[in-house]
Amino acid sequence: MLKSKQLLQQFSKEYAKYTPTNFKLKRALVVTKLSRYEFEQLRHPELSPDQLQQKLRDRGTDVEMVLHLHKVHKDFERRVVQSFQDVGCEVKLSSRLEFRSSLSKDVMSWADVIVPVGGDGTFLLSAGRASPLFALSQQKTPIVGFNSDPLHSEGRLMLPKHYSDNPADAVSRIKSGDFKWMHRSRVRTTMLGSNGKIPEPTDLFRHTEVKMEQVSTAPEMLDQDMSYKYKAKMKRVLPYLALNEVFIGEHLSARVSHLQLVLDHQDMVNKTKCSGLCVSTGTGSTSWHTSINRITSRDVDDLLRSLPNGNSKNVMMMRQNAEEIAHRYNQGLLFAPDDPRLCYSIREQICVGVWPSPKTFKERDFVQTVFVKSHCIDANLVIDGSISFPFNDGAKALLEVHPEDALLTIALD
């Protein structure tokens, strides 16, 4: 396995091949989020606006706030569109729902830039479409996102919040080339088996099966070494790349997930019972990865008090700095968006009796590849919390990072 610095240098050379050298902003595809009010309208198309609002009130919903946030988002959406038009850019506007269901490769290739407007969920959806599997050419379409409501949404994947106050400034800088390119690593998931078939995925946003005609991938024969190592004949790449993470675990969260892992193609098979496996990128390290692994000042204080000299002067001083210690630890969980490594985390691993096997198996570590075999009853493999594939007993998947899969984004400041 290559060391981290060597791997990053290798990937940086590959990233350069996919960095535009003559970027010109002429056409922008704006992908706007579905507001809560629009979502409720889709759920109840038979109701008039007055009837819908009454239904929401009967449910206990703060209708005035829902309508206010809807207006805030739509007003900001218009400002973003106008900002691109003001610099001579042709704009096409698509809702999040339309974007997921009906946009073709032609529309994706038409755009010079994809502009998600909303929150991180809208950005992740847009990133899913800005994939080599959707493109008609090797030229990548970059993404730059605007947070439409920074008061109520963190929007870590979007431009800094001050550009929500002045989107025209950001658009002007993009038009003039005053920005930097950022390549965000993504997880490629390959299913291994005997026939190369992919189970039908589910769109967790719409709770419907996903049609994959536009993004079909062909099954391939495994080479002899891989076939022998993983007891499979065929492989097939899933037609979606994960920008944040891939999660594997039982559908019912109260049920134990039984998984086998092989790290970096080693000979050791690691067996675990847990609440699921999360394999994160650097981009995703600010999200679920941190939520799983973070500690609180209370955790630090409890640990220090448990020491034999817990009441000593030095330990008491450290306990006074418990919040700072916890903050430093949590910041250490983060890694760069262009980092070519993955970090896997085992959620709530059972550590009694024979589990895990071997006992030295780490519940979190950096790797380049993760092979996973399921011994679950009703499990799923979920990409960015959005697309879910069945992953039950006997299912096998290989998770890895390739430089050509990286998401090209525009960074300001």
Side-chain angles (χ1 to χ4, degrees):
M1 184 178 70
L2 291 175
K3 293 184 178 180
S4 175
K5 288 185 178 180
Q6 292 176 312
L7 190 63
L8 183 56
Q9 290 173 353
Q10 177 182 313
F11 269 59
S12 295
K13 292 179 181 178
E14 292 296 318
Y15 289 153
K17 297 178 182 178
Y18 301 98
T19 301
T21 56
N22 190 27
F23 175 75
K24 293 182 179 179
L25 179 59
K26 295 181 180 179
R27 298 177 293 271
L29 176 60
V30 176
V31 183
T32 182
K33 81 169 186 179
L34 210 63
S35 71
R36 169 71 184 279
Y37 184 66
E38 290 172 312
F39 177 72
E40 295 293 352
Q41 285 179 312
L42 288 173
R43 289 182 66 191
H44 305 286
E46 75 285 358
L47 299 181
S48 68
D50 289 342
Q51 291 173 327
L52 176 61
Q53 291 176 32
Q54 187 57 51
K55 183 177 182 66
L56 295 177
R57 286 192 177 90
D58 292 343
R59 193 194 296 168
T61 301
D62 186 344
V63 174
E64 282 65 35
M65 178 58 73
V66 168
L67 291 172
H68 169 71
L69 295 178
H70 171 72
K71 183 179 184 302
V72 167
H73 172 70
K74 301 308 286 186
D75 288 346
F76 183 76
E77 173 193 300
R78 285 188 285 271
R79 290 175 62 199
V80 171
V81 170
Q82 188 63 53
S83 296
F84 278 96
Q85 291 174 337
D86 287 346
V87 296
C89 192
E90 184 182 352
V91 178
K92 287 185 179 179
L93 182 64
S94 173
S95 74
R96 172 173 174 159
L97 195 63
E98 293 168 339
F99 189 74
R100 185 185 288 283
S101 62
S102 61
L103 281 188
S104 66
K105 292 182 180 181
D106 292 326
V107 176
M108 297 298 297
S109 299
W110 168 87
D112 296 318
V113 64
I114 300 173
V115 187
V117 176
D120 284 347
T122 307
F123 189 100
L124 288 170
L125 169 65
S126 304
R129 285 283 174 151
S131 161
L133 299 168
F134 282 94
L136 291 174
S137 69
Q138 290 298 311
Q139 182 65 46
K140 292 188 176 184
T141 304
I143 287 187
V144 58
F146 290 85
N147 188 345
S148 63
D149 187 10
L151 292 178
H152 299 91
S153 171
E154 187 62 29
R156 287 181 176 272
L157 299 176
M158 303 302 197
L159 289 177
K161 292 182 178 181
H162 61 264
Y163 289 113
S164 296
D165 296 326
N166 190 6
D169 182 34
V171 174
S172 176
R173 290 185 60 182
I174 295 168
K175 179 70 174 179
S176 64
D178 182 19
F179 63 86
K180 291 184 179 180
W181 295 112
M182 178 184 288
H183 297 266
R184 293 180 178 267
S185 300
R186 293 193 282 188
V187 187
R188 180 189 296 186
T189 305
T190 304
M191 302 295 287
L192 309 181
S194 59
N195 54 24
K197 292 183 178 179
I198 296 178
E200 286 296 327
T202 299
D203 181 336
L204 298 182
F205 179 71
R206 294 188 296 164
H207 303 285
T208 59
E209 287 189 351
V210 181
K211 301 298 182 183
M212 297 190 296
E213 295 85 12
Q214 296 181 10
V215 288
S216 59
T217 55
E220 301 175 51
M221 292 290 295
L222 278 173
D223 63 49
Q224 188 173 356
D225 290 342
M226 290 280 285
S227 179
Y228 176 78
K229 187 176 187 65
Y230 297 124
K231 305 297 186 291
K233 297 179 180 179
M234 307 288 293
K235 66 176 182 178
R236 191 166 182 179
V237 177
L238 293 187
Y240 302 97
L241 299 168
L243 179 60
N244 268 359
E245 75 280 310
V246 173
F247 176 78
I248 297 174
E250 287 282 2
H251 180 73
L252 184 63
S253 58
R255 183 180 286 147
V256 173
S257 298
H258 185 183
L259 303 169
Q260 290 185 2
L261 282 74
V262 175
L263 309 175
D264 293 326
H265 301 300
Q266 298 171 0
D267 293 331
M268 176 68 70
V269 177
N270 303 282
K271 302 176 182 179
T272 180
K273 286 188 174 182
C274 57
S275 296
L277 165 72
C278 179
V279 180
S280 174
T281 64
T283 296
S285 67
T286 64
S287 185
W288 201 354
H289 169 82
T290 291
S291 297
I292 292 171
N293 296 296
R294 70 184 301 274
I295 61 173
T296 66
S297 57
R298 174 67 180 272
D299 296 326
V300 174
D301 189 65
D302 287 346
L303 181 62
L304 292 174
R305 284 194 296 110
S306 70
L307 295 174
N309 59 340
N311 292 320
S312 68
K313 184 177 180 180
N314 288 339
V315 174
M316 292 296 290
M317 289 179 62
M318 284 192 289
R319 287 177 61 187
Q320 292 176 3
N321 295 315
E323 189 168 335
E324 175 64 20
I325 294 172
H327 174 73
R328 287 176 176 269
Y329 177 90
N330 294 334
Q331 287 297 111
L333 296 171
L334 311 181
F335 55 110
D338 63 349
D339 196 313
R341 299 172 301 167
L342 299 171
C343 188
Y344 75 86
S345 300
I346 307 296
R347 291 176 66 201
E348 301 168 331
Q349 179 166 251
I350 293 176
C351 296
V352 294
V354 299
W355 301 101
S357 176
K359 286 290 188 179
T360 54
F361 176 52
K362 297 179 181 178
E363 63 182 18
R364 184 180 81 249
D365 204 0
F366 284 102
V367 291
Q368 291 176 225
T369 67
V370 183
F371 167 80
V372 187
K373 181 178 180 181
S374 172
H375 289 294
C376 298
I377 298 171
D378 181 24
N380 298 101
L381 183 153
V382 183
I383 296 174
D384 281 340
S386 176
I387 303 295
S388 174
F389 291 83
F391 198 73
N392 297 320
D393 191 23
K396 302 173 184 178
L398 181 65
L399 310 179
E400 52 194 345
V401 173
H402 292 260
E404 61 268 28
D405 293 341
L407 181 71
L408 181 64
T409 62
I410 289 175
L412 301 176
D413 303 337

